Amino acid sequence: MNVYWSEAALDSAGATPSILAIGDSWFWYPFAGGSLISRLGPVVASKGHVILVKGMNGAEAFDYVEGKYRRSVDQALRIYGDGLSAVFISGGGNDFAGFNDMRPLLNLDCSNAQSAEACFNASASGLPDFLYNMDQHYRTLIGRVYTRTSLDCKIVMHSYDYAIPDGRSAMGHQAWLQPALIDAKVAPTLQQACVKYLIDAFSAMLSAITTSDPAHLLLVDSRGTLASQDWANELHPKPGGFKKIAQERWQPVLEKAGLA
């Protein structure tokens, strides 16, 4: 085992992390088959890496820098930063998943929209504000990682994939995507396109961040990896889906970076 979700388990095993994974449910997914991190553990094991995971299911990007997980993340960076080869970040999915987060990104009435772009609220309080906030949260977290780690530490982010807004949920939640699209009167034929448009915009934001330091800021572009049968619900892949993303998208990036 080379993945630990608590310092207690880490200390009990006498292990020291070389990778800090800060993430949401893609890193913490609790059901059988595990999460993306469960699949990345074996990928980096050949290089002797040990992963400590911070965050939690439902975490938003804000939580890592100003919210409930800021202290935990800061402490981990302070204690282990000098010895880290990489920091993995998964954040942003929960910031638009859920009715209260997704609905403001859409126009009030999209019934006449002919494209996914036309469904989104382009005012300052809509999608531009969401992307601005995501950019700020990521840059703040990256800045803190920079100040606590060595010059060789890699920061690896990812773009999720094109989730299917079909109303499927998990863990007692309501569906994360479809209710907002229905409330905004987005035509069924445009609902998947809207999710794709949003994920593409999010990925473009992350890609722009990496241009400031491409040697250390890495983006795993996992868009378009999963087929419909690979999804367990509107937000999470099945175990085989996580494995596919780990092996097909993350592993080549990590190998090139010398982490796998």
Side-chain angles (χ1 to χ4, degrees):
M1 174 179 174
N2 68 328
V3 179
Y4 297 91
W5 280 268
S6 72
E7 278 89 348
L10 188 78
D11 293 343
S12 179
T16 301
S18 55
I19 295 175
L20 180 65
I22 305 167
D24 50 22
S25 56
W26 272 52
F27 284 3
W28 285 84
Y29 198 56
F31 293 118
S35 62
L36 179 59
I37 284 295
S38 300
R39 301 300 182 171
L40 290 176
V43 171
V44 300
S46 62
K47 291 288 187 176
H49 287 297
V50 172
I51 302 174
L52 174 63
V53 193
K54 291 291 180 178
M56 182 54 66
N57 293 307
E60 297 187 355
F62 169 85
D63 292 327
Y64 309 145
V65 294
E66 297 296 341
K68 64 181 75 175
Y69 305 117
R70 172 180 177 170
R71 183 176 180 85
S72 176
V73 168
D74 286 351
Q75 287 182 332
L77 287 170
R78 177 174 55 82
I79 295 170
Y80 305 113
D82 288 344
L84 293 178
S85 297
V87 175
F88 297 167
I89 303 174
S90 179
N94 288 309
D95 297 76
F96 64 75
F99 187 88
N100 291 336
D101 292 314
M102 182 74 163
R103 187 62 185 88
L105 304 182
L106 300 164
N107 287 320
L108 292 178
D109 186 349
C110 304
S111 56
N112 293 322
Q114 299 299 308
S115 68
E117 182 178 6
C119 294
F120 281 89
N121 178 3
S123 72
S125 61
L127 184 58
D129 188 56
F130 166 77
L131 294 172
Y132 173 80
N133 288 334
M134 288 299 98
D135 180 88
Q136 293 299 298
H137 298 330
Y138 266 87
R139 290 181 187 274
T140 299
L141 180 57
I142 288 166
R144 291 177 186 170
V145 173
Y146 273 158
T147 64
R148 292 291 190 180
T149 58
S150 72
L151 293 176
D152 296 327
C153 184
K154 303 294 193 299
I155 300 174
V156 188
M157 302 163 281
H158 76 117
S159 62
Y160 300 98
D161 200 356
Y162 300 131
I164 302 172
D166 56 9
R168 286 183 293 171
S169 61
M171 297 181 284
H173 288 274
Q174 294 182 336
W176 292 278
L177 303 173
Q178 192 181 63
L181 293 165
I182 291 175
D183 189 77
K185 299 180 177 61
V186 176
T189 54
L190 281 180
Q191 290 180 9
Q192 182 65 71
C194 283
V195 174
K196 183 179 185 298
Y197 184 85
L198 180 55
I199 292 292
D200 285 346
F202 176 76
S203 181
M205 180 274 297
L206 292 179
S207 182
I209 291 175
T210 67
T211 61
S212 64
D213 186 3
H216 298 97
L217 300 178
L218 311 178
L219 176 61
V220 176
D221 187 355
S222 47
R223 294 173 297 165
T225 307
L226 303 178
S228 59
Q229 63 268 22
D230 293 322
W231 289 93
N233 49 59
E234 283 195 326
L235 214 57
H236 309 97
K238 295 177 181 177
F242 278 129
K243 183 177 182 180
K244 184 185 291 188
I245 286 177
Q247 293 181 345
E248 294 183 10
R249 298 305 179 98
W250 279 74
Q251 187 164 344
V253 173
L254 298 181
E255 287 178 349
K256 186 176 180 180
L259 296 166

